[in-house]
Amino acid sequence: MIKNEKIKASEVQLTGVNGEDLGMMSRDEALALAKQLKVDLVCTSLMSSPPPCKLVGASKAKQEALQDKQKARKQEQGAKVKELRLTPHIEDHDLETKRQQAERILRAGDAIQFVVRIQGKEGAQAKALLESLLRDLKHAGSPRTGIQLSGKQAAVLVDPQ
């Protein structure tokens, strides 16, 4: 982010503190106006001529820069896969809690792997449980894999939308 005297362009397209368009003006006039209002002059893009600039309060400019950095870092890392473990005999209230937790994770942009631990002949119950969870979370995510029954567990991977 380029601020104040570091802006090298001779003319800028200026936007006010409240988003109002102040038009084209010289960099020196824009800097004088920024000092008069006790705010910073921030260049939003160097790709156009004249560069668009806006008047922003000092603390707000720092906060925006920090948020941009955090977004870039999160996009760089990509989605994580979080695992939620269940049993076929889960109580209704506990299942609702797990469903809400899964919805929050999916909305945050991370994937979920549901794992249901099975003993003996509980495979059909585990599959039915996972199918109902997938139905309930259809609006927040879509399954990447089908329901996989293997030995002591049933699993399904759900991606955010």
Side-chain angles (χ1 to χ4, degrees):
M1 175 180 0
I2 301 174
K3 294 189 332 185
N4 299 331
E5 284 80 18
K6 292 181 182 176
I7 298 172
K8 300 294 182 199
S10 59
E11 284 192 331
V12 295
Q13 179 69 36
L14 192 61
T15 305
V17 178
N18 298 321
E20 67 276 4
D21 185 29
L22 300 177
M24 296 266 297
M25 62 175 58
S26 72
R27 179 189 77 121
D28 297 331
E29 288 177 39
L31 283 171
L33 184 60
K35 283 184 181 175
Q36 179 185 342
L37 296 174
K38 296 181 180 167
V39 294
D40 286 327
L41 180 66
V42 178
C43 182
T44 56
S45 172
L46 296 174
M47 296 300 161
S48 60
S49 179
C53 295
K54 62 182 178 179
L55 298 173
V56 179
S59 63
K60 190 172 181 182
K62 286 180 184 177
Q63 185 178 4
E64 282 180 6
L66 182 63
Q67 285 175 347
D68 289 344
K69 253 188 201 176
Q70 288 174 343
K71 280 183 184 177
R73 192 175 331 128
K74 189 167 188 171
Q75 288 175 349
E76 186 179 294
Q77 289 177 351
K80 296 177 185 170
V81 176
K82 309 237 177 157
E83 185 176 296
L84 290 179
R85 295 183 179 180
L86 310 157
T87 61
H89 303 293
I90 190 168
E91 296 287 328
D92 290 339
H93 178 266
D94 296 333
L95 180 62
E96 180 62 22
T97 302
K98 289 285 187 180
R99 189 193 62 72
Q100 288 174 356
Q101 184 180 11
E103 194 172 330
R104 263 195 313 275
I105 292 169
L106 288 170
R107 292 210 186 281
D110 294 328
I112 296 179
Q113 179 165 9
F114 288 108
V115 176
V116 181
R117 301 282 177 191
I118 349 178
Q119 297 174 346
K121 299 178 180 178
E122 296 175 336
Q125 288 175 316
K127 189 171 181 178
L129 176 65
L130 288 174
E131 286 172 350
S132 74
L133 273 170
L134 289 175
R135 252 192 326 273
D136 292 344
L137 294 171
K138 191 176 2 179
H139 64 283
S142 57
R144 184 189 307 175
T145 63
I147 297 173
Q148 302 164 342
L149 286 169
S150 60
K152 296 183 178 183
Q153 70 181 22
V156 66
L157 193 60
V158 181
D159 282 335
Q161 288 192 343

